[in-house]
Amino acid sequence: MTAFATYTVEKLAGLDAPEGRCFNQVGGLEVATTPQRLADLHRRHGWATARGVPAAVVDPAECARLHPLLDPGQLLGGLHTPTDGLASATRAVVALTARARARGAVFHGSTRVTGIAQAGGRVTGVRTDRGDIPADVVVCCAGFWGRELGRLAGMRVPLLPLAHQYARTGRVEELVGRNGPETEARLPILRHQDADLYFREHDDRIGIGSYAHRPMPVSLSELPETGGTTSESVQPSMLPFTEEDFAGPWEDSRELLPALRSTKVESGFNGVFSFTPDGGPLIGESADVAGFWIAEAVWVTHSAGVARAVAQLLVDGRSELDLHGCDVHRFDEVETTDPFVEETAQRNFVEIYDVLHPLEPRTSPRDLRTSPFHDRQRELGAFFLPAHGWERPHWYEANAALLPELPPDWRAPERDAWSGMFHSPVVAVEAWRTRTAAGLYDMTPLTRIEVAGPGACAFLDRLTTGPMDRSVGSVTYTLMLDDAGGIRSDLTVARLGDELFQVGANGNLDVDRLRRAAAGEPGVSVRDITGGTCCIGVWGPLARDLVQPLTGDDLSHDGLKFFRARSAHIAGIPVTVMRLSYVGELGWEIYTGAEYGRKLWDVLFDAGRPLGAVAAGRAAFNSLRLEKGYRSWGTDMTSEHDPYQAGLGFAVRSKETAFVGRDALAGVGDDTVTRRLTCLTVDDGCSVVLGQEPVLVDGEPAGYVTSAAFAHTLGFPVAYAWLPAGLPVGSPVGIRWFDRTIAATVAAEPLLDPGMTRIRR
Ligand code: THG
């Protein structure tokens, strides 16, 4: 999103419009009136630094110098971003329209879209009240009308139009004479997030935007009829100002900017814009109607950046910037339903300026998807965090009973308040027991895809970097690349039969990609089998002692080798067993039908109890996988990275046979990369960061943290970061954490068990 915004600034700043400039680079100033906000501004300063945006945390006197209407006595500080500015969306549209016309584009204004013409699963045109327009590609950029227009093509567009208040004051004495014909604003855009307000200049008046009111969902039938003509003050997106909602915000405004006490609210409107379940835009092609694209829920801030990305998608088939956080197919079906969208979008409106922890869960809707083990997990005091509707245990309070037994070298230092949120000392117990006995992990939410049919093997062989024509029972860790060699996903592919594969994937984007690729392919079927099945990971040095007595099938080291799968019976329950472990221990993922899940859990849990096995959650899981150096797609690497940069070159097969991305990787290897996903250890042994923090080399920003955790087995925190290649092991770096720098060191990886002796035993 920062890259989108940066490009939009560049684009708009370089545009000329007859009426004047399209971008006025007055800068931005976010102010803090509470210690929590000031701390958050430091954190946001870190995000800006990590992504190359100039920014500085400044003291109250500097805030007042930058924005003289501020009373420094009320402030604790501010975050100044000098490249921010005021976009004139209308002027920019006029200027861009003229450019497009000059190159042959045709615009049909005031024309109502009435349908999307399609034939044979492809778009063929747009139906309008003035006739049909044939088209082989349609990009629907309808903003908050997107949900309705998407319906015309049978596409569910998970956005909600909401109104948000914008008011203008009368003349402000202190501003009179400051601005003139050449500019209507010089002061930075001001944000007072503790009161959900922002402020900008309009000549000698102040415009005030408020998020301090109740969410106001808008039905499109309420919009004013403008008769097809619009102006700065008459637009279908402008609803009447609801004065009663502005009373409190107006008080807060006059408190922050005392100069407003001598003026009043002169005008206002409730403007309509789009919110989505996670706040991100919606970009992508319909799964059912090829050639029908959407690019919606895009704010002016990101507009040109998104436009460029969409243009690249259409022309090149991929965008330079990874779009997984914007792809409309990132959501599972349950997240696109009207009740889900309505509730989450409104919640996002309410929380727009709130200080939110990266793990902060929504409180509703919850319990949408629960694994068959859910009741048992509750009995064990699971602390759940939701993901794509699934409830996932992060730790189990029941394990607190084992805290007194935790050996001294497994005791984790106390965390600061921020990294201690949504964390528990119990996580150390679960990590300890997994590494010394065994842990039971609920892997049910892991996306599972069945790829079947006579063409399945060749299909997967072409789409992934791994050799797929291996024996039945093989499991392959492999990558899906795009044509430029960027990592689209990392998968495990188990060959369960000649024509039957089970793919362990990273979410609905993988389902979508495989489905699309299979659409034109005879003899390949792709099915998401996540729902209706379940999975328990049993991992640890005693995993075999736990499971083998429950089955007549041979789970010895040679009976089922590492990265092999087979069907088996455990206590009479039909299961599929895969010998692999994301936490880096001996053990298996054990899959079964949902109807057997509860029984399987009980059998494994009871058998594990005398061995010291525990149920363990995502927090331990994440710590253990980082110790072992296992990457998490979407966080550690995306389509912006190639396999060698990500340290995954080992998963790319010899380049003799064709696979998607092969040609782009010609000549690319471990020694050619200029940046690398780099393992860092934290020198003080106790400072745990959370991800997205900037990393400094020689005091200068050089990259950012992807994942981090306290490594319980090793006794210090670990972080992975994108950094220039060629930093030798032992190089000192700094990680920015709020207003301080944490010393860290480039480390050889994996930190734990590079010889694989824990897994292969
Ligand atoms: N389980 C299953 N599928 C998955 C995941 C999983 N798919 C998505 C995601 N997680 C994939 N991530 C990984 C990362 C590392 C490994 C497995 C899945 C892993 N790597 C071995 C190694 O690097 O040592 C591979 C060894 C080899 O290739 O032989 O085990 O958790 N089902």
Side-chain angles (χ1 to χ4, degrees):
M1 297 308 282
T2 306
F4 284 159
T6 301
Y7 178 75
T8 304
V9 164
E10 208 177 286
K11 179 83 177 177
L12 299 193
L15 276 182
D16 297 319
E19 304 85 357
R21 64 186 147 177
C22 296
F23 191 71
N24 183 0
Q25 201 153 39
V26 291
L29 180 65
E30 302 175 16
V31 293
T33 56
T34 63
Q36 293 79 0
R37 182 65 59 180
L38 183 62
D40 199 55
L41 294 184
H42 281 290
R43 191 169 66 111
R44 295 163 64 75
H45 175 248
W47 293 347
T49 307
R51 303 291 171 159
V53 174
V57 175
V58 298
D59 65 16
E62 179 65 5
C63 291
R65 195 190 65 76
L66 290 163
H67 200 303
L69 300 191
L70 284 168
D71 163 14
Q74 293 183 34
L75 305 179
L76 299 177
L79 175 64
H80 183 221
T81 42
T83 52
D84 256 9
L86 295 164
S88 170
T90 318
R91 278 183 202 159
V93 167
V94 170
L96 289 167
T97 309
R99 278 194 186 181
R101 277 211 177 94
R103 296 190 192 174
V106 178
F107 291 82
H108 301 276
S110 305
T111 304
R112 187 177 292 268
V113 172
T114 56
I116 303 299
Q118 32 185 305
R122 278 209 63 88
V123 77
T124 58
V126 178
R127 298 197 195 292
T128 80
D129 58 356
R130 300 183 184 186
D132 290 1
I133 301 169
D136 56 351
V137 175
V138 173
V139 186
C140 186
C141 306
F144 63 78
W145 282 272
R147 194 158 60 152
E148 301 304 317
L149 280 169
R151 277 198 185 116
L152 297 178
M155 184 172 184
R156 237 197 315 264
V157 179
L159 69 77
L160 182 71
L162 289 173
H164 141 67
Q165 289 205 293
Y166 192 78
R168 275 189 205 217
T169 68
R171 283 172 70 151
V172 177
E173 274 320 310
E174 285 81 346
L175 296 179
V176 172
R178 277 178 59 93
N179 297 309
E182 72 288 356
T183 184
E184 59 162 356
R186 293 171 200 275
L187 297 176
I189 303 155
L190 181 66
R191 289 191 175 80
H192 180 21
Q193 286 141 320
D194 289 320
D196 290 319
L197 294 172
Y198 62 85
F199 304 87
R200 58 156 291 183
E201 260 175 306
H202 294 280
D203 297 313
D204 50 11
R205 286 137 216 270
I206 292 284
I208 306 171
S210 167
Y211 296 100
H213 51 80
R214 67 203 153 90
M216 304 182 199
V218 175
S219 145
L220 298 186
S221 59
E222 292 167 42
L223 299 180
E225 265 305 332
T226 58
T229 52
T230 60
S231 69
E232 288 268 358
S233 56
V234 182
Q235 297 183 26
S237 58
M238 294 167 83
L239 294 172
F241 191 61
T242 49
E243 223 176 303
E244 64 279 13
D245 293 304
F246 200 67
W250 179 233
E251 274 315 304
D252 289 338
S253 301
R254 302 207 302 171
E255 184 156 342
L256 183 75
L257 302 175
L260 299 186
R261 288 180 193 154
S262 56
T263 186
K264 57 185 177 37
V265 175
E266 205 169 76
S267 64
F269 63 93
N270 291 3
V272 186
F273 61 162
S274 302
F275 274 77
T276 58
D278 60 5
L282 305 173
I283 300 172
E285 189 181 11
S286 156
D288 307 310
V289 184
F292 182 81
W293 292 75
I294 63 166
E296 280 154 352
V298 179
W299 293 22
V300 173
T301 312
H302 310 111
S303 52
V306 168
R308 184 174 67 155
V310 172
Q312 290 175 346
L313 283 174
L314 296 176
V315 175
D316 305 329
R318 81 188 284 273
S319 80
E320 277 168 80
L321 291 174
D322 168 65
L323 295 180
H324 84 276
C326 306
D327 192 314
V328 63
H329 303 294
R330 69 188 178 275
F331 299 110
D332 285 357
E333 183 178 348
V334 71
E335 299 170 280
T336 66
T337 62
D338 288 349
F340 189 91
V341 173
E342 270 154 41
E343 184 166 0
T344 55
Q346 292 185 61
R347 190 72 216 150
N348 289 339
F349 175 91
V350 171
E351 292 178 348
I352 189 141
Y353 281 163
D354 288 3
V355 177
L356 294 177
H357 190 275
L359 291 174
E360 191 110 14
R362 56 171 64 104
T363 51
S364 173
R366 292 293 297 268
D367 291 342
L368 273 175
R369 305 166 95 177
T370 54
S371 81
F373 327 129
H374 190 73
D375 290 351
R376 294 297 187 247
Q377 293 169 341
R378 271 184 191 280
E379 288 161 23
L380 293 171
F383 176 79
F384 293 99
L385 292 176
H388 294 288
W390 286 103
E391 294 295 334
R392 303 193 302 187
H394 273 241
W395 67 83
Y396 295 87
E397 276 306 325
N399 292 327
L402 296 170
L403 271 169
E405 290 174 41
L406 195 63
D409 51 340
W410 284 87
R411 296 221 168 99
E414 226 174 285
R415 299 193 176 197
D416 66 26
W418 188 251
S419 65
M421 277 176 91
F422 308 108
H423 183 77
S424 162
V426 171
V427 174
V429 169
E430 297 175 6
W432 164 56
R433 283 297 172 99
T434 305
R435 290 272 187 246
T436 59
L440 301 187
Y441 290 84
D442 180 0
M443 298 291 285
T444 303
L446 178 95
T447 303
R448 288 176 287 289
I449 307 166
E450 182 192 275
V451 180
C457 184
F459 171 78
L460 288 168
D461 200 64
R462 178 168 57 78
L463 282 181
T464 76
T465 60
M468 287 297 142
D469 198 5
R470 302 175 60 204
S471 61
V472 170
S474 64
V475 182
T476 310
Y477 175 68
T478 187
L479 307 174
M480 260 199 286
L481 305 180
D482 61 24
D483 286 326
I487 305 172
R488 279 299 167 109
S489 192
D490 68 336
L491 309 170
T492 58
V493 181
R495 187 168 202 174
L496 301 179
D498 264 339
E499 299 183 355
L500 179 65
F501 295 81
Q502 181 172 319
V503 177
N506 287 299
N508 195 59
L509 285 172
D510 293 330
V511 179
D512 177 64
R513 191 169 308 109
L514 290 176
R515 270 206 193 120
R516 260 174 225 280
E521 202 101 347
V524 184
S525 78
V526 171
R527 213 157 58 88
D528 180 351
I529 56 164
T530 313
T533 60
C534 61
C535 177
I536 304 177
V538 184
W539 294 307
L542 302 186
R544 190 173 285 122
D545 303 83
L546 194 165
V547 182
Q548 185 67 76
L550 301 171
T551 175
D553 299 298
D554 182 4
L555 295 182
S556 66
H557 180 59
D558 290 323
L560 185 66
K561 290 202 159 74
F562 184 53
F563 265 74
R564 297 285 300 175
R566 61 167 295 169
S567 52
H569 290 149
I570 291 179
I573 301 165
V575 296
T576 300
V577 185
M578 281 182 211
R579 185 164 169 206
L580 63 91
S581 167
Y582 198 60
V583 303
E585 291 293 333
L586 169 68
W588 310 270
E589 290 178 351
I590 305 174
Y591 295 88
T592 191
E595 73 274 34
Y596 299 119
R598 167 83 86 91
K599 183 71 183 169
L600 180 66
W601 177 276
D602 286 346
V603 165
L604 293 171
F605 192 82
D606 290 345
R609 207 192 303 258
L611 299 171
V614 295
R618 302 287 307 182
F621 186 75
N622 190 49
S623 158
L624 300 174
R625 68 105 183 160
L626 279 171
E627 293 179 340
K628 189 70 187 86
Y630 289 161
R631 279 75 169 132
S632 175
W633 187 86
T635 305
D636 297 318
M637 72 281 188
T638 68
S639 64
E640 290 174 21
H641 310 108
D642 74 37
Y644 304 97
Q645 296 170 338
L648 296 173
F650 70 88
V652 180
R653 73 184 188 235
S654 91
K655 293 167 188 157
E656 279 143 40
T657 54
F659 56 88
V660 175
R662 176 190 68 170
D663 297 349
L665 294 182
V668 181
D670 281 328
D671 354 316
T672 65
V673 301
T674 56
R675 60 176 173 172
R676 213 185 283 282
L677 188 60
T678 306
C679 181
L680 306 175
T681 58
V682 173
D683 297 355
D684 68 13
C686 65
S687 296
V688 181
V689 300
L690 297 175
Q692 300 296 338
E693 298 84 5
V695 179
L696 314 179
V697 175
D698 298 327
E700 293 300 318
Y704 59 93
V705 173
T706 58
S707 306
F710 188 81
H712 292 277
T713 317
L714 306 163
F716 49 76
V718 52
Y720 273 79
W722 281 105
L723 285 174
L727 288 174
V729 166
S731 301
V733 300
I735 304 174
R736 288 294 296 171
W737 179 248
F738 294 90
D739 56 351
R740 67 189 179 99
T741 300
I742 295 169
T745 303
V746 173
E749 63 157 337
L751 295 168
L752 188 92
D753 196 23
M756 303 290 274
T757 55
R758 287 173 172 269
I759 297 187
R760 299 176 195 267
R761 59 174 149 193

